[in-house]
Amino acid sequence: MDKLSSTTLLPETFSGARADITEQLTIVWGQMKEPLIVPLLKIAVFLCLTMSVMLFIERVYMGLVITFVKLLGRKPEKRYKWEPLKDDLELGNSAYPMVLIQIPMYNEKEVYQLSIGAACGLSWPSDRIIVQVLDDSTDPIIKNMVEMECQRWASKGINIKYEIRDNRNGYKAGALKQGLKHSYVKDCDFVAIFDADFQPEPDFLWRTIPFLVHNSELALIQARWKFVNADECMMTRMQEMSLDYHFTVEQEVGSSTYAFFGFNGTAGVWRLAAIDEAGGWKDRTTVEDMDLAVRASLKGWKFLYLGALKVKNELPSTFKAYRYQQHRWSCGPANLFRKMLFEIIRNKKVSTWKKVHVIYSFFFIRKIVAHLVTFIFYCVVLPATVLVPEVQIPKWGAIYIPSIITILNAVGTPRSLHLLVFWILFENVMSLHRTKATFIGLLEVGRVNEWVVTEKLGDALKFKSARKAFRHPRFRIGERIHLLELMTGVYLFFCGCFDVAFGKNHYFIYLFAQAIAFFIMGFGYIGTFVPSSA
């Protein structure tokens, strides 16, 4: 039997049809390119460069401010009156303010003992503190465990209250609001809030309450977060770099210049009078903490950030948990900006300069532009210029400005500077979800009010590595395959191949590296990276 020829397997009619389709697509692309694609891409490049410059100026400004703060030694104790609270022989313990500790939790099986134990271990006159556990758990076994833990501490003489609701309306904001309605709260002056994975040191109140007692204009004292599992894997190291910049620079600059910053929702102490005047907790967005902070600021209250005071907590250690968290943290601020923009503009209690700071710097640049420019520019527009060589991006916009912004962002975590390239790729991938969430918040559609509690592991972290060695993860399509990342990776890979074959921009190394990052996270493997301390 004669060998089958290629023409037998692939008839000439089919080959000809395929060539015709390719030729037709080429003609259509050529006809659309000049009158439509090129002008649109030029507009996109202009807008992205404008946003990049805005972000660059913001980062440089904050860098200069934080440098002066450090050089001038503008410590909180120098800007606000602070002196330790002293015993009063006549008044006794009544000389100390009454403090409420709120611990909101939801099915926190792994960490409830840690958080309750840390709160009950706070050093403060025992008759001047109330620990309030706000348990919204839906698992009856976990609810029983939390209640038993509260009873155990109560038997030791701790004034601890176990409070539950018959619904989860308003999620965390609803729980905190309901907690303040109990009769015993009316005797309290201040409230400290700790999420279920936060473990304050015993002297936390001694270092924060004096600021509120001696400075009547202060409404909030915010402490810094300290991550107990930062070295668990590559993903947690990347999170640490991003959050360290937030706490080292953004919060410090806001506190030092405008006495305003976003409340982080935990590890902070509020003046109850300020919460009442601001209108209390509201559940209209998924960032009830930021909502309260903005409203209190518009009433004229000031905030103070204590970077030297650190509270231990846990970073999300799975990609799924981190994605949910980032959706909430990106969607919520954008939605709050939509709801409060005109309220901020019409406000007459704060200066115009502070309103400009809140609208432009706090909301627009950090919560919207930072997400949009990272994904749209570096993952969509810049690769597109490879396919359309008629559109060029200047070197200052494609290389110099991004490099300076990256270096300024990384200064908060010097120990991870060797991971800078990985951090850039990781942040670009996550910007996909942040951009999507930002649009959802601005347009108020879809998952705008979705609230998924971040999974916490607590003591289980100590045994997680050992379990991984003996157990292979189950492959579940719905949990491990992420189509948005994979499609973006394919697009970047195609642009990289085109750049190698025909391009003049020489972005192919970046494009291939970014495509690989999207593929890795598209298959859900980022959380399994080995610890980067190696």
Side-chain angles (χ1 to χ4, degrees), residues 385-386 389 392 498-500 502-507:
T385 60
V386 172
Q392 295 290 323
F498 191 91
D499 196 26
V500 170
F502 309 104
K504 300 178 182 179
N505 295 318
H506 306 298
Y507 295 141

Side-chain angles (χ1 to χ4, degrees), residues 131-374:
V131 177
Q132 187 185 66
V133 177
L134 304 169
D135 190 12
D136 274 358
S137 298
T138 54
D139 187 323
I141 297 177
I142 297 178
K143 288 183 74 170
N144 184 61
M145 293 166 62
V146 175
E147 185 174 12
M148 293 292 291
E149 182 70 9
C150 292
Q151 291 176 359
R152 187 173 74 85
W153 282 102
S155 67
K156 296 182 179 182
I158 301 297
N159 188 1
I160 185 169
K161 308 290 185 180
Y162 176 70
E163 306 291 355
I164 60 174
R165 301 187 293 163
D166 57 5
N167 59 70
R168 288 193 68 215
N169 294 340
Y171 302 106
K172 180 180 174 181
L176 294 171
K177 184 177 182 179
Q178 184 66 31
L180 295 180
K181 292 182 179 179
H182 294 282
S183 58
Y184 54 82
V185 176
K186 69 177 185 299
D187 298 323
C188 298
D189 303 291
F190 309 110
V191 56
I193 302 170
F194 300 103
D195 281 353
D197 59 318
F198 279 71
Q199 304 165 55
E201 296 296 329
D203 64 347
F204 179 88
L205 296 179
W206 292 109
R207 297 175 66 178
T208 54
I209 297 297
F211 280 109
L212 294 167
V213 170
H214 298 306
N215 302 274
S216 59
E217 72 276 21
L218 284 177
L220 167 68
I221 308 296
Q222 173 71 60
R224 182 172 176 169
W225 297 1
K226 179 181 179 182
F227 312 111
V228 297
N229 63 329
D231 291 326
E232 183 189 349
C233 63
M234 181 72 81
M235 189 182 72
T236 52
R237 286 292 290 270
M238 301 297 99
Q239 293 178 65
E240 181 193 37
M241 291 180 71
S242 299
L243 287 171
D244 274 352
Y245 176 81
H246 169 69
F247 285 107
T248 303
V249 179
E250 290 182 345
Q251 297 294 75
E252 190 69 70
V253 169
S255 176
S256 302
T257 54
Y258 307 98
F260 167 77
F261 48 82
F263 174 44
N264 294 121
T266 179
V269 187
W270 276 93
R271 188 186 300 273
L272 281 169
I275 294 179
D276 291 337
E277 186 180 351
W281 294 101
K282 293 185 179 181
D283 58 3
R284 55 182 175 172
T285 70
T286 56
V287 284
E288 74 295 323
D289 43 12
M290 186 182 295
D291 189 346
L292 177 61
V294 174
R295 284 184 283 114
S297 176
L298 294 180
K299 293 293 183 180
W301 291 97
K302 295 182 178 180
F303 306 156
L304 177 62
Y305 171 69
L306 299 181
L309 179 59
K310 301 178 181 181
V311 180
K312 293 187 291 185
N313 73 297
E314 181 183 321
L315 291 164
S317 55
T318 65
F319 187 40
K320 180 181 178 181
Y322 186 57
R323 283 181 63 181
Y324 279 125
Q325 182 200 68
Q326 291 303 296
H327 173 85
R328 189 172 76 247
W329 286 5
S330 302
C331 179
N335 190 230
L336 183 63
F337 180 58
R338 171 194 171 108
K339 294 179 183 298
M340 293 203 67
L341 175 60
F342 293 107
E343 183 181 342
I344 297 170
I345 293 174
R346 291 192 298 264
N347 183 273
K348 296 181 179 180
K349 284 193 175 182
V350 298
S351 66
T352 301
W353 182 243
K354 189 168 186 177
K355 287 193 285 186
V356 169
H357 166 70
V358 174
I359 293 174
Y360 176 78
S361 180
F362 180 76
F363 273 116
F364 186 63
I365 297 296
R366 299 184 207 171
K367 311 303 180 185
I368 297 176
V369 167
H371 302 327
L372 299 185
V373 74
T374 304

Side-chain angles (χ1 to χ4, degrees), residues 47 50 52 61 91 111 149 157 177 213 223 228 230 293 311 323 336 343 368 380 383 416 423 468 471 478 497 517:
L47 293 176
T50 301
S52 292
Y61 163 73
L91 297 176
V111 296
E149 182 70 9
K177 184 177 182 179
V213 170
V228 297
V311 180
R323 283 181 63 181
L336 183 63
E343 183 181 342
I368 297 176
V380 178
S416 296
W423 179 76
K468 281 183 178 179
R471 185 179 67 187
C497 292

Side-chain angles (χ1 to χ4, degrees), residues 57-72 245 249 253 257 408:
I57 293 173
E58 174 73 8
R59 291 291 188 265
V60 171
Y61 163 73
M62 289 196 292
L64 292 174
V65 171
I66 200 67
T67 300
F68 280 114
V69 168
K70 299 297 182 184
L71 290 177
L72 298 177
Y245 176 81
V249 179
V253 169
T257 54
L408 291 174

